[in-house]
Amino acid sequence: MSAVGQLRSLAREHVAVAALTIPRLLRHRVWRDANPQEGAGLGVVLVPGFGASDVSLSFATTWLRDRGYEPTGAGVGFNVGCTSELVDRVEQRLEEHVEATGGPVVLLGQSRGGGLARLAAARRPDLVRGLVMLGSPVLDPLGAHPHVLLAARALTRLSSIGVPGLMDGDCLSGACFEDNVAAATAPLEVPALSVYSKSDGIVPWRLSLDPYAECVEVHSTHTGMGLDPDVYLALRPRLAEWAAERFDLREAG
């Protein structure tokens, strides 16, 4: 199957999962009970997964905004580009959102987006209040489902013949890959949460057991993590704690 075919297959899976999961989320108390003061204006930068755009995290964006957070997309497009270049863009958005919201912000990434968020958090801990990774293969970026890797390798071949904006060979091997893998498993200077599911059919759950993060199990599919009530139940107390710390620091200042 071609790279486009692989991405289309992932998109179809996401649509099918969404059709089953969204009604459950909208009925759940974690969605319906909203305290608009909870977020205290804490900024959140959301980073989508491989082959996805900011739209894929629109429910998370709505949930955060209804609770008084200030969410924004990372602006990385469909997340199929060079890892180092995408981390640069996440860092730029971090800087912009910190300035817009008046203090360090939360990075929240799904799948590959969580890996990019972790790299950005390790690079600029001064800008990050906390880090959330949803189904992210932190311990082995190449440990995802073979279909995903086939799509990634196809993208590198397209890049090698001059198609712009795609990941290249260095993203899967070589010095750039090794540097990013080392950074992705380095100790963190910010509080972090890694959410994993043993029902994840894309990323083996053990790859999400970041030794420098609080690891929490949920019962969700991979593509459905941004829509699953269990995920929001796990996120809510951690985000609220980070928001309260921000409020306390602002009051003290």
Side-chain angles (χ1 to χ4, degrees):
M1 187 183 294
S2 68
V4 173
Q6 296 290 352
L7 294 177
R8 284 176 176 169
S9 178
L10 290 174
R12 286 194 296 269
E13 178 190 345
H14 185 72
V15 170
V17 169
L20 296 173
T21 309
I22 290 174
R24 177 169 166 252
L25 174 62
L26 298 182
R27 290 193 301 266
H28 201 283
R29 61 180 175 82
V30 77
W31 181 271
R32 299 176 65 179
D33 295 345
N35 174 4
Q37 306 304 316
E38 189 173 300
L42 176 62
V44 183
V45 175
L46 297 101
V47 192
F50 176 67
S53 69
D54 291 340
V55 174
S56 67
L57 291 170
S58 58
F59 275 83
T61 298
T62 298
W63 184 85
L64 289 163
R65 186 174 292 120
D66 287 349
R67 284 151 187 81
Y69 296 91
E70 295 290 339
T72 187
V76 296
F78 283 94
N79 197 349
V80 292
C82 165
T83 299
S84 296
E85 291 177 2
L86 291 176
V87 175
D88 289 344
R89 289 162 69 178
V90 173
E91 181 182 3
Q92 180 180 350
R93 185 57 59 93
L94 264 179
E95 294 173 345
E96 294 168 352
H97 209 42
V98 165
E99 182 176 355
T101 59
V105 303
V106 171
L107 272 170
L108 189 159
Q110 183 169 5
S111 193
R112 188 194 189 200
L116 298 177
R118 195 190 194 284
L119 289 168
R123 183 189 292 182
R124 295 298 307 273
D126 56 309
L127 303 180
V128 180
R129 176 70 63 198
L131 168 67
V132 176
M133 298 168 285
L134 306 180
S136 300
V138 175
L139 302 184
D140 181 7
L142 299 185
H145 192 284
H147 287 176
V148 177
L149 292 182
L150 285 174
R153 294 186 189 284
L155 292 173
T156 65
R157 289 194 293 271
L158 291 173
S159 177
S160 69
I161 62 174
V163 179
L166 303 178
M167 59 173 59
D168 56 32
D170 282 348
C171 292
L172 302 181
S173 63
C176 182
F177 171 78
E178 292 172 2
D179 288 347
N180 283 326
V181 168
T185 55
L188 287 166
E189 298 179 38
V190 301
L193 174 68
S194 181
V195 178
Y196 68 92
S197 172
K198 293 180 180 179
S199 301
D200 192 325
I202 300 295
V203 172
W205 64 272
R206 290 181 178 84
L207 299 185
S208 297
L209 300 183
D210 190 325
Y212 302 104
E214 177 189 4
C215 298
V216 175
E217 181 182 1
V218 298
H219 303 285
S220 170
T221 63
H222 182 76
T223 57
M225 280 198 181
L227 303 170
D228 197 289
D230 288 350
V231 173
Y232 292 97
L233 287 171
L235 293 183
R236 189 166 196 174
R238 282 82 176 180
L239 291 173
E241 179 181 351
W242 296 339
E245 290 171 358
R246 178 179 189 269
F247 182 79
D248 290 343
L249 289 172
R250 291 179 67 177
E251 287 291 295

